[in-house]
Amino acid sequence: MPVKFADRMATVHRSFIREILKVTEDPSIISFAGGLPNPELFPVSDLEAAAVKVMEETGPQSMQYSTTEGFQPLRQYIADRYKEKKGIDVDADEILITSGSQQCLDLLGKVFLNAGDNVLIERPGYLGAIQSFSIFQANFLTVGLENDGPDLSELEKVLDENEIKMFYAVTNFQNPSGLTYSPEKRKGVAEILSGRDIIFVEDDPYGELRFMGDFHKPVVRGFLEENGILLGSFSKVAAPGFRLGWMVCPGDIRDKMIIAKQASDLHTSTFAQRVIHRYVTDFSLDDHIEKIRERYGNQREVMVKSIEEYFPAEVKVTRPEGGMFLWVTLPEGMSSMDLFDEAIKNKVAFVPGRPFYVDGTGENTFRLNFSNSDEARIVEGIKRLGAGIKDFLAN
Ligand code: PMP
């Protein structure tokens, strides 16, 4: 008997990247495909010390059910850090701790999206958001990214011509492109969104991983006063295995998010929240982030230099000032899917760009991750990839 699945599952696919990662499990393949932080930088011994302390001092409480909103001292820490690092005012009571920022996307879908609602995303856009909103049968519209953020005239046009429920954007070192919104673009986005009946979701898991240049205020609270929701995560600055993220939103929205989260998982792991709070209290997160910035900054430098040396000149690449990804654009007409098959034979992998485009374009693009390979493997992998691209162009 065929199983009858819900309609909402009909258009959602397994994560393309997770499928690719299976191919790249072979250790002889140099993989720039995953989006993984470098595990050598996880603060394992400090987290161990924090975990032991939590167990010794508050064992039973940290094993107990807790509130949906999340551990208050952790929310206060996040609010204080926004003030200190970004200069924006956030109240601890506007923060909801979530099971990774990925859960925020699920909650946003539950709270805001009816089947067929228009959701605006960037082109290219974050695959995890596309998958999450697809479950709620969103209809996607896109706005193109330029080197310093979205094309503002396209943004205005798409908003004028369509009734859009939500605009989802990754404003710092975007996944997949590595691109960042300039202060001018942030201001422009806020001006265009102001006064419109639309929810703006700013997802910022990479903002603190800046290797060069200046920090910018988030659009939400920095430039846009109303209807803004800001997402954050400990995944890239501490460890993704804790599955700790958060959402900053006004009280009326948070009330609905809490209901949706209660229905999903009651609350985020009590233990994980207390351990991370202990960790940021007893150790310096700033010192730790500095180490990540230095390492990723060097790896990014080596990747950019190797690309300049080994890729043909007609291949374009972004030069991000932080984060974990570079974005490559091949000459028009070339397929990165075809290149992928060839690259695997040469024992090097990346993520073809097309899945990041809901409109089926982006065939000639691909994503490279630089956080999770050491410098020698980056040089060797880019050399192999460059040789593959040259072969392709010659044919
Ligand atoms: N948003 C973006 C843009 C991401 O790249 C990721 C991680 N791939 C997430 C959200 C999810 O991160 P987490 O759930 O680990 O916080």
Side-chain angles (χ1 to χ4, degrees):
M1 282 274 268
V3 179
K4 287 188 189 134
F5 293 109
D7 293 345
R8 73 178 70 86
M9 297 309 292
T11 54
V12 190
H13 308 288
R14 289 169 77 110
S15 159
F16 180 73
I17 295 186
R18 305 252 161 257
E19 298 302 303
I20 282 190
L21 291 185
K22 282 187 206 154
V23 182
T24 60
E25 265 167 17
D26 170 357
S28 70
I29 291 183
I30 297 179
S31 176
F32 305 127
L36 303 182
N38 196 323
E40 289 171 18
L41 291 165
F42 295 153
V44 175
S45 60
D46 294 351
L47 286 169
E48 182 185 352
V52 167
K53 250 191 178 169
V54 165
M55 275 304 202
E56 282 172 359
E57 292 174 5
T58 52
Q61 295 98 305
S62 62
M63 299 289 101
Q64 186 57 285
Y65 284 119
S66 55
T67 59
T68 305
E69 288 84 337
F71 189 44
Q72 202 283 334
L74 183 61
R75 288 190 281 115
Q76 189 60 54
Y77 170 82
I78 294 167
D80 293 345
R81 198 170 171 87
Y82 272 121
K83 185 76 189 166
E84 186 194 330
K85 301 286 170 194
K86 309 269 165 68
I88 60 166
D89 290 317
V90 170
D91 194 290
D93 285 338
E94 295 177 304
I95 296 173
L96 171 67
I97 304 286
T98 57
S99 304
S101 54
Q102 190 66 32
Q103 186 183 42
C104 299
L105 305 177
D106 182 56
L107 298 180
L108 285 161
K110 286 190 171 131
V111 166
F112 288 118
L113 299 183
N114 294 315
D117 276 352
N118 287 330
V119 174
L120 181 65
I121 59 169
E122 297 153 318
R123 190 174 70 245
Y126 171 49
L127 213 52
I130 296 171
Q131 190 186 42
S132 216
F133 301 147
S134 294
I135 298 253
F136 300 96
Q137 296 165 288
N139 179 51
F140 291 104
L141 295 161
T142 62
V143 57
L145 284 179
E146 299 173 332
N147 270 331
D148 60 346
D151 178 333
L152 293 181
S153 49
E154 191 186 342
L155 177 65
E156 192 154 27
K157 187 164 185 289
V158 74
L159 290 173
D160 284 346
E161 291 177 358
N162 301 277
E163 198 178 309
I164 289 174
K165 191 77 162 273
M166 187 159 84
F167 174 23
Y168 168 83
V170 183
T171 52
N172 289 311
F173 321 121
Q174 191 231 24
N175 181 359
S177 68
L179 294 171
T180 292
Y181 290 29
S182 66
E184 295 72 35
K185 284 280 166 94
R186 287 168 199 255
K187 195 160 164 257
V189 168
E191 278 168 10
I192 291 170
L193 291 177
S194 283
R196 293 184 199 252
D197 184 13
I198 175 172
I199 316 282
F200 177 62
V201 178
E202 182 170 15
D203 188 4
D204 186 24
Y206 303 104
E208 295 227 37
L209 305 185
R210 178 175 272 286
F211 328 132
M212 54 186 87
D214 298 327
F215 279 95
H216 307 315
K217 283 190 179 199
V219 176
V220 174
R221 311 269 164 121
F223 300 90
L224 180 71
E225 296 301 329
E226 54 192 18
N227 291 347
I229 296 179
L230 192 51
L231 312 185
S233 174
F234 285 106
S235 291
K236 311 303 188 307
V237 294
F242 275 83
R243 309 305 305 123
L244 274 185
W246 66 87
M247 179 185 304
V248 179
C249 50
D252 53 338
I253 295 180
R254 199 180 77 139
D255 290 347
K256 296 279 191 249
M257 293 294 166
I258 287 172
I259 296 170
K261 184 166 165 66
Q262 275 168 358
S264 286
D265 66 353
L266 301 182
H267 62 80
T268 295
S269 159
T270 320
F271 183 63
Q273 293 185 69
R274 283 179 179 257
V275 172
I276 285 287
H277 179 254
R278 244 305 160 207
Y279 167 69
V280 296
T281 309
D282 290 358
F283 300 91
S284 166
L285 184 61
D286 285 344
D287 288 354
H288 179 62
I289 291 175
E290 200 44 52
K291 278 187 214 148
I292 303 177
R293 284 186 192 136
E294 202 184 316
R295 176 82 75 92
Y296 291 6
N298 289 340
Q299 288 170 190
R300 174 261 190 212
E301 197 57 29
V302 170
M303 190 172 266
V304 167
K305 288 239 164 71
S306 305
I307 286 173
E308 283 165 358
E309 186 170 347
Y310 297 114
F311 281 16
E314 51 273 58
V315 176
K316 302 260 172 303
V317 59
T318 59
R319 283 173 171 66
E321 296 185 333
M324 308 194 332
F325 304 106
L326 289 178
W327 187 246
V328 182
T329 305
L330 298 166
E332 211 51 60
M334 258 184 96
S335 161
S336 65
M337 287 281 186
D338 294 344
L339 179 68
F340 179 80
D341 294 336
E342 221 31 56
I344 288 295
K345 287 184 205 149
N346 295 332
K347 305 274 183 199
V348 59
F350 55 80
V351 182
R354 207 177 54 197
F356 300 98
Y357 290 78
V358 288
D359 62 358
T361 61
E363 184 68 36
N364 61 328
T365 61
F366 63 89
R367 188 187 78 176
L368 292 175
N369 165 270
F370 55 77
S371 59
N372 198 26
S373 307
D374 64 31
E375 295 179 12
R377 279 172 80 83
I378 290 175
V379 175
E380 178 56 30
I382 294 296
K383 197 169 163 185
R384 291 182 197 172
L385 202 48
I389 296 172
K390 282 178 189 157
D391 274 358
F392 245 66
L393 280 174
N395 297 319

